[in-house]
Amino acid sequence: VMLSFAFAAVAYLVAAQERAAWVTAFATAYALLGVGLVRDQPMLPPTLVITFAAAAAGAAVRRFIGWQWALAFYGLAVGASFFAIGRVVPYDGGQVEALLVIFAVAAYLVAALEPNPWAGAVPTLYAVGAAIANPNAHDLLPLTLAFTVAGVVAGRFGKLRWLWPPYIAAAVTAILTAVQGQHDPAFETLALAIFAVVAYAVAAIEALPDLLVPALLTGVLATGSLANRQGWESWQTLLAFGVLAWGYATLAYGWRALPWLATARNPWWAANIADPAARAQWSDGRRVGLWLHRVAGLTVAGGAALVSLASTDSFAIGGRATLTAAGLLLSLAVMLAVRGRDAEPIIPGAVSGRILWYVAGEFVAIAAIYGVRWLGADNIQAFVIAPGSYQLIIGALLPVDVQVQRPEVLGRAASVVGALLLLLPTLAQSFAAEPTWVYALVLATEAVVIVGVGLGTRNRVLVLAGSSFVGLAALRGAILAFQSGAVALVIGALAALLMGFATWLSLRSRRELRPDA
């Protein structure tokens, strides 16, 4: 052992004499050989002495001579620390965890003297190793909180390079805690809830709105874990996510009120925005956090609504799942409408947020389908009236709405979709359902109304579609006149009137919708 350390000292002196820093690698190798040959009983204490002595010597050499000459001592300290871990006999996960935490603290203090931020990788690896060494999730929870507190304390020095080692260690330890705590659902739920709150607090304290992403995501995981622990039914779980979505949307207003968030630290997300004014706006941590809260709320609400629609029992008469689907759709619609009040674009350079009003209406129309189904409706007419009528309404509004840039093509498409939703099921029922003459009359009425809407909005496609269905209704009425008994004359007269009306509409629509008209 003594001979190995003597060779290490000689190699280091030769390197200094020749001014060749790379030769110090031989000194490190000789010194590590000596550490490996230590046979004192117990072997751990002398190994620890060598580890910390080498780290202290490296810090001193780095401070007064240069970093090239300190690498040999740092390498010896790191290598000796691995020997120390292996000399914990018998192996005890708690002792190894404590030892690695001590090494992490020492390495972090040394790294704080280095200008290169990558020096923080060494204490981070020690900290992560401490979490891996102990498989007890209950011990890892306080360790995660300790790393988080260390990050908050380091952040008070105002340098980002001090932040990432403890926060990365906290994040990895939190993941390991959640994974290892799966066998204990109660503990896992508690741990995830604590992590969500702590991550949110760190994002607010450090003025780093991008940290809201893991915080909000962990909140979703905590809710799912709670549902699994309590054994909730699917509709109950979906309602819980609906409540969580509103919680995120509400938290947005509290985040916006925090004054110190006005200037976000390291706003990398705004670096590629060309417009200086927009870049300045999106560098505001309050604004970014508000946007993230809203997106998270809409994402969770939309996901819950989508899953509720996909449930196997979500369209049962009087079913709880059916009512839940209707409620979640309405909740999402309200959230979109609230967001749509802001004329500001959803993302920089995009269309005005008012477009969300129209999207909200779509979800209300779909919710109406599930609502009438829950009340006991079983006729397709009850299911198409709300969405079909709504498409006609927005088809008339979109082409004249300046705030959404007057999308005429989209408006016409919506009108056609609405017309087909209303007319095609009625046409099918006039052939398949009884009484067929009633559905034929309804078809004629709907077609006439749609033609009127097309004339009012000067939508040529809508007028032609309505006129076509008026003609189809007339033909269907004529067929029914031959098939009926006492009402043949009445049905025949109505069919004749419809045929004449369809012909008149065709001629009038061509004249009214001519470009020179």
Side-chain angles (χ1 to χ4, degrees):
V1 173
M2 298 303 298
L3 191 60
S4 296
F5 281 107
F7 287 159
V10 171
Y12 196 86
L13 292 175
V14 171
Q17 179 67 28
E18 298 295 334
R19 298 184 181 275
W22 63 271
V23 179
T24 60
F26 292 96
T28 303
Y30 279 125
L32 288 177
L33 177 61
V35 174
L37 294 174
V38 170
R39 290 293 182 266
D40 294 341
Q41 294 296 333
M43 294 183 292
L44 181 58
T47 307
L48 292 177
V49 171
I50 295 172
T51 300
F52 291 112
V61 171
R62 168 68 180 87
R63 175 70 175 81
F64 297 104
I65 300 178
W67 66 268
Q68 303 94 328
W69 304 98
L71 292 179
F73 294 99
Y74 287 155
L76 173 59
V78 172
S81 69
F82 285 106
F83 279 108
I85 295 170
R87 289 171 176 174
V88 177
V89 180
Y91 181 85
D92 186 323
Q95 291 183 7
V96 173
E97 177 189 0
L99 192 59
L100 285 170
V101 169
I102 294 174
F103 290 157
V105 173
Y108 188 70
L109 294 176
V110 173
L113 303 175
E114 296 291 335
N116 191 337
W118 288 107
V122 177
T124 304
L125 292 176
Y126 277 127
V128 172
I132 296 175
N134 191 350
N136 190 338
H138 294 77
D139 293 341
L140 294 182
L141 177 58
L143 182 62
T144 303
L145 299 179
F147 287 151
T148 305
V149 172
V152 173
V153 173
R156 298 310 90 203
F157 292 94
K159 295 180 180 180
L160 288 177
R161 68 183 181 90
W162 285 69
L163 295 180
W164 74 269
Y167 282 147
I168 292 294
V172 174
T173 309
I175 294 173
L176 293 174
T177 304
V179 171
Q180 295 179 6
Q182 289 181 342
H183 65 280
D184 188 350
F187 173 78
E188 183 186 36
T189 301
L190 176 63
L192 287 173
I194 292 175
F195 293 156
V197 173
V198 169
Y200 193 93
V202 170
I205 293 172
E206 300 293 349
L208 295 171
D210 45 333
L211 291 183
L212 287 174
V213 176
L216 300 177
L217 179 60
T218 307
V220 173
L221 296 177
T223 303
S225 177
L226 177 63
N228 180 61
R229 173 195 171 191
Q230 298 295 333
W232 288 345
E233 297 182 26
S234 60
W235 67 271
Q236 293 174 312
T237 303
L238 291 172
L239 282 180
F241 279 111
V243 173
L244 178 67
W246 276 104
Y248 286 167
T250 305
L251 279 174
Y253 299 99
W255 178 274
R256 186 174 59 180
L258 299 178
W260 68 84
L261 298 175
T263 303
R265 301 175 67 175
N266 190 29
W268 53 267
W269 55 85
N272 294 327
I273 299 179
D275 185 12
R279 183 168 59 251
Q281 289 179 345
W282 285 94
S283 296
D284 188 338
R286 293 173 299 182
R287 181 192 189 94
V288 176
L290 179 68
W291 183 82
L292 287 174
H293 280 88
R294 287 173 170 175
V295 170
L298 290 174
T299 302
V300 174
L306 183 62
V307 172
S308 69
L309 297 182
S311 301
T312 55
D313 55 347
S314 64
F315 208 62
I317 296 176
R320 293 178 177 177
T322 307
L323 187 60
T324 299
L328 290 174
L329 287 167
L330 286 176
S331 175
L332 178 60
V334 173
M335 195 175 293
L336 287 169
V338 171
R339 175 63 182 90
R341 290 185 309 172
D342 190 359
E344 175 185 314
I346 304 171
I347 58 177
V351 180
S352 168
R354 184 167 174 174
I355 192 69
L356 296 180
W357 282 9
Y358 296 97
V359 179
E362 297 284 2
F363 286 110
V364 172
I366 300 174
I369 298 176
Y370 285 82
V372 297
R373 179 60 174 175
W374 181 76
L375 293 173
D378 58 358
N379 192 310
I380 194 173
Q381 291 294 322
F383 304 141
V384 300
I385 186 65
S389 301
Y390 181 71
Q391 305 313 310
L392 293 177
I393 293 173
I394 64 173
L397 295 178
L398 282 174
V400 296
D401 194 335
V402 179
Q403 292 193 28
V404 294
Q405 301 177 7
R406 295 180 177 179
E408 295 185 6
V409 175
L410 183 60
R412 291 177 180 176
S415 297
V416 173
V417 170
L420 295 178
L421 279 175
L422 292 172
L423 296 174
L424 286 177
T426 310
L427 178 62
Q429 286 181 304
S430 69
F431 285 93
E434 291 291 344
T436 54
W437 66 271
V438 173
Y439 291 111
L441 183 60
V442 172
L443 176 63
T445 304
E446 291 176 345
V448 171
V449 172
I450 288 172
V451 170
V453 173
L455 290 173
T457 59
R458 301 186 66 81
N459 189 329
R460 181 189 297 272
V461 177
L462 198 60
V463 172
L464 294 177
S467 301
S468 300
F469 276 90
V470 170
L472 290 174
L475 292 175
R476 182 57 181 154
I479 293 173
L480 290 174
F482 289 103
Q483 296 175 347
S484 301
V487 296
L489 293 177
V490 177
I491 296 178
L494 289 175
L497 288 174
L498 286 174
M499 288 181 182
F501 183 65
T503 303
W504 178 80
L505 280 177
S506 178
L507 296 174
R508 179 177 177 80
S509 63
R510 292 179 183 178
R511 183 177 67 254
E512 291 290 337
L513 298 176
R514 284 201 314 268
D516 56 347

